[in-house]
């Protein structure tokens, strides 16, 4: 048998031995870790994260040993050894990343976000999420740098690059200004506690939750299942609302425009009954106030509290629906009503104008009781002043004795904008 066939036969035998050794070592390690996993949760994460990088590393190292034993002194060995060295560096970087991800997973398990007040947990999870991405990027860059420096030509180039590092850093900084800005903004967001994963925010007039924070962008999950992707620099340069910055508890309002005949005291009693029937209210605050009374309606504002934003939204809808149903059922007179003023013959609230006395002097503006002179009514000059203020809104004159009676209807909402005749 020729030396070449002997080398390949030895390599085949060595390769089979390597595969068998990898399977045996992997099986033993897996059995040990699975036994630990019955009592410890971290062992389950270890199996999921490290299993394949560990097996590939054993296989590459065993293959390198098999080549070194089987083909000693071959002229093509340096090229194969270099390729296997690159493979070992790459798999080592993969294994290092998975080990660090294992540590961050263990850290995230300590902080639960499925509780009412999870501000600290969300902050820790956000920082760990950004830190794990940053470390993975650093490990990958280091692995690529080590791989490149295994080449002699690149090593010589690296020395010249280091000699001109100042100029190259300036050029690279100018070329990647936006990328570096987002990178540093992402790190700043992670450790400044401005936003955290699962925070409720209002950005670009949209309500949503922070789903993901990376080194370049932030993903906001909107209420209607859309995703708003914003650069990290947005949250460091633009104002936005964070509803869970210090706590998840919130205060919300419900506003109703009702008739003047509504009873705030009765509404307040019914509000107490509504809140006692629901678990959405956290019991911190409940207020019912009349905040406005103009335009023929009164505005009733109800303030209620809840443990978080989604619960508060459901609570506001529930309170609004119950109050509307209660008004319809028990106080229909409190429903919003639009009042109208009927004017006929120059007198409000009467359908028939009194006859004009024969001895009453006639005027250019119709008859009336008492002195009709005023700032904007009663004389022609006053009506000219009124026309300047009303901007071409016509002032309706009452009918004269020779004209047939006519009625005009003005809503109470139009009165502030027009000159009303008494």
């Amino acid at each position: 048998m020729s030396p070449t066939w002997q080398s390949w036969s030895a390599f085949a035998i060595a390769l089979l031995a390597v595969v068998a050794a990898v399977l045996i070592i992997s099986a033993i390690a897996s059995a040990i870790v699975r036994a630990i996993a019955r009592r410890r949760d971290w062992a389950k994460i270890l199996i999921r994260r490290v299993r394949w990088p560990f097996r590939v590393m054993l296989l590459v190292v065993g293959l390198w040993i098999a080549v070194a034993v089987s083909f000693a002194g071959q002229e093509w060995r340096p090229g194969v050894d270099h390729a296997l060295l690159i493979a070992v560096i790459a798999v080592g970087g993969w294994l290092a990343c998975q080990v660090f991800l294992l540590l961050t997973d263990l850290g995230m398990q300590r902080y639960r976000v499925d509780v009412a007040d999870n501000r600290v947990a969300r902050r820790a999870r956000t920082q760990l999420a950004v830190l794990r991405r940053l470390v993975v990027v650093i490990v990958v860059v280091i692995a690529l740098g080590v791989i490149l420096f295994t080449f002699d030509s690149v090593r010589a180039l690296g020395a010249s690059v280091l000699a001109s590092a100042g100029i190259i850093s300036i050029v690279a900084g100018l070329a990647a200004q936006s990328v570096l800005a987002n990178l540093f903004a992402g790190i700043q967001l992670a450790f400044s506690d401005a936003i955290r994963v699962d925070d409720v925010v209002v950005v670009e007039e949209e309500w949503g939750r922070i789903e993901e924070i990376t080194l370049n962008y932030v993903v906001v999950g909107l209420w209607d299942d859309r995703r708003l992707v914003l650069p990290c620099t947005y949250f460091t340069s633009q104002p936005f609302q964070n509803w869970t910055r210090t706590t998840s508890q919130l205060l919300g309002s419900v506003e109703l425009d009702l008739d003047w005949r509504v009873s705030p005291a009765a509404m307040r009693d019914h509000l107490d009954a509504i809140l006692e029937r629901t678990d959405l209210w956290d019991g911190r605050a409940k207020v019912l106030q009349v905040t406005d009374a103009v335009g023929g309606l009164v505005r009733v504002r109800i303030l209620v509290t809840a443990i978080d934003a989604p619960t508060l939204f459901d609570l506001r809808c529930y309170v609004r629906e119950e109050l509307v149903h209660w008004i319809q059922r028990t106080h229909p007179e409190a429903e919003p009503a639009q009042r109208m003023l009927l004017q006929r013959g120059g007198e409000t609230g009467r359908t028939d104008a009194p006859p004009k006395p024969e001895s009453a002097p006639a005027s250019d503006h119709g008859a009336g009781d008492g002195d009709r002179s005023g700032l904007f009514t009663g004389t022609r000059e006053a009506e000219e002043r009124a026309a300047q203020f009303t901007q071409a809104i016509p002032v309706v004159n009452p009918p004269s004795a020779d004209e047939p009676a006519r009625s005009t209807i003005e809503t109470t909402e139009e009165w502030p904008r027009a000159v009303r005749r008494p």
Side-chain angles (χ1 to χ4, degrees):
M1 183 179 295
S2 63
T4 304
W5 281 106
Q6 290 180 354
S7 299
W8 282 105
S9 299
F11 175 72
I13 295 173
L15 184 61
L16 291 176
V18 166
V19 173
V22 169
L23 293 177
I24 292 173
I25 295 174
S26 177
I28 294 174
S30 178
I32 295 173
V33 176
R34 289 182 185 278
I36 299 174
R38 297 189 184 98
R39 298 185 301 271
R40 297 289 187 271
D41 293 335
W42 61 266
K44 298 178 182 179
I45 305 176
L46 178 64
I47 295 174
R48 186 178 72 251
R49 288 289 186 188
V50 184
R51 176 176 53 187
W52 285 109
F54 177 71
R55 291 177 178 177
V56 174
M57 177 61 78
L58 290 178
L59 183 61
V60 172
V61 172
L63 181 61
W64 198 352
I65 295 174
V67 170
V69 171
S70 303
F71 301 102
Q74 297 291 334
E75 59 182 9
W76 45 265
R77 273 285 307 281
V80 175
D81 290 342
H82 189 211
L84 291 173
L85 176 61
I86 293 175
V88 169
I89 295 173
V91 176
W94 181 21
L95 182 60
C97 290
Q98 292 298 324
V99 169
F100 184 79
L101 293 178
L102 165 66
L103 297 177
T104 56
D105 289 342
L106 293 177
M108 286 188 175
Q109 278 191 341
R110 297 179 56 188
Y111 300 98
R112 296 177 54 188
V113 295
D114 56 348
V115 295
D117 191 3
N118 54 6
R119 181 175 61 90
V120 176
R122 288 186 284 109
R123 180 179 61 185
R125 281 177 169 263
T126 301
Q127 294 176 352
L128 287 174
V130 175
L131 184 62
R132 68 193 296 175
R133 289 185 175 91
L134 183 61
V135 171
V136 168
V137 170
I138 293 174
V139 171
V140 171
V141 171
I142 292 176
L144 289 176
V146 173
I147 290 173
L148 291 177
F149 270 87
T150 59
F151 296 90
D152 294 335
S153 57
V154 175
R155 191 182 299 113
L157 179 62
S160 61
V161 166
L162 292 176
S164 58
I167 299 176
I168 293 178
S169 62
I170 295 175
V171 174
L174 293 176
Q177 184 177 3
S178 61
V179 176
L180 293 176
N182 278 317
L183 176 64
F184 288 111
I187 299 174
Q188 179 182 351
L189 290 177
F191 293 96
S192 65
D193 208 23
I195 57 173
R196 300 169 296 264
V197 174
D198 206 40
D199 266 347
V200 177
V201 296
V202 178
V203 291
E204 297 294 316
E205 298 183 356
E206 298 281 1
W207 183 94
R209 287 182 177 273
I210 301 294
E211 287 189 346
E212 185 180 5
I213 301 177
T214 69
L215 296 177
N216 294 319
Y217 59 87
V218 177
V219 180
V220 182
L222 303 183
W223 64 275
D224 54 358
D225 290 338
R226 290 179 295 146
R227 299 297 182 270
L228 183 63
V229 181
L230 297 170
C232 292
T233 52
Y234 178 90
F235 292 92
T236 59
S237 60
Q238 299 291 332
F240 62 94
Q241 298 182 35
N242 190 339
W243 288 12
T244 54
R245 175 65 175 78
T246 57
T247 179
S248 60
Q249 297 175 340
L250 290 174
L251 173 71
S253 64
V254 176
E255 292 187 338
L256 300 173
D257 290 333
L258 303 172
D259 192 80
W260 280 68
R261 289 174 291 182
V262 68
S263 173
M267 286 190 67
R268 194 171 289 112
D269 294 337
H270 188 64
L271 175 64
D272 294 339
I274 292 174
L275 297 179
E276 289 176 357
R277 294 196 304 265
T278 179
D279 296 331
L280 301 175
W281 182 54
D282 62 0
R284 288 189 299 122
K286 56 177 179 179
V287 178
L288 189 147
Q289 296 173 319
V290 178
T291 59
D292 207 350
V294 294
L297 298 173
V298 295
R299 176 162 296 176
V300 178
R301 185 179 69 176
I302 299 100
L303 300 179
V304 289
T305 56
I307 58 174
D308 53 27
T311 307
L312 178 64
F313 181 80
D314 293 338
L315 177 61
R316 292 169 59 195
C317 294
Y318 175 73
V319 170
R320 186 183 297 110
E321 181 179 345
E322 289 294 321
L323 286 177
V324 169
H325 181 63
W326 174 75
I327 291 172
Q328 292 174 346
R329 186 180 69 255
T330 61
H331 292 74
E333 70 280 359
E335 296 178 7
Q338 191 70 40
R339 291 180 174 83
M340 292 183 294
L341 177 66
L342 181 64
Q343 292 183 338
R344 183 180 179 86
E347 292 195 9
T348 304
R350 297 181 59 181
T351 57
D352 296 325
K356 177 182 178 181
E358 295 181 357
S359 59
S363 65
D364 296 336
H365 307 287
D369 297 334
D371 185 9
R372 294 175 52 85
S373 62
L375 182 61
F376 296 120
T377 59
T379 63
R380 188 177 300 279
E381 293 79 4
E383 292 181 359
E384 292 177 357
R385 287 194 298 271
Q388 295 177 359
F389 281 90
T390 56
Q391 296 293 330
I393 295 177
V395 178
V396 182
N397 294 324
S400 63
D402 299 333
E403 296 177 354
R406 63 180 183 274
S407 62
T408 60
I409 299 177
E410 298 178 353
T411 64
T412 57
E413 293 181 353
E414 295 173 343
W415 291 355
R417 295 186 290 112
V419 177
R420 302 191 296 275
R421 304 291 296 183

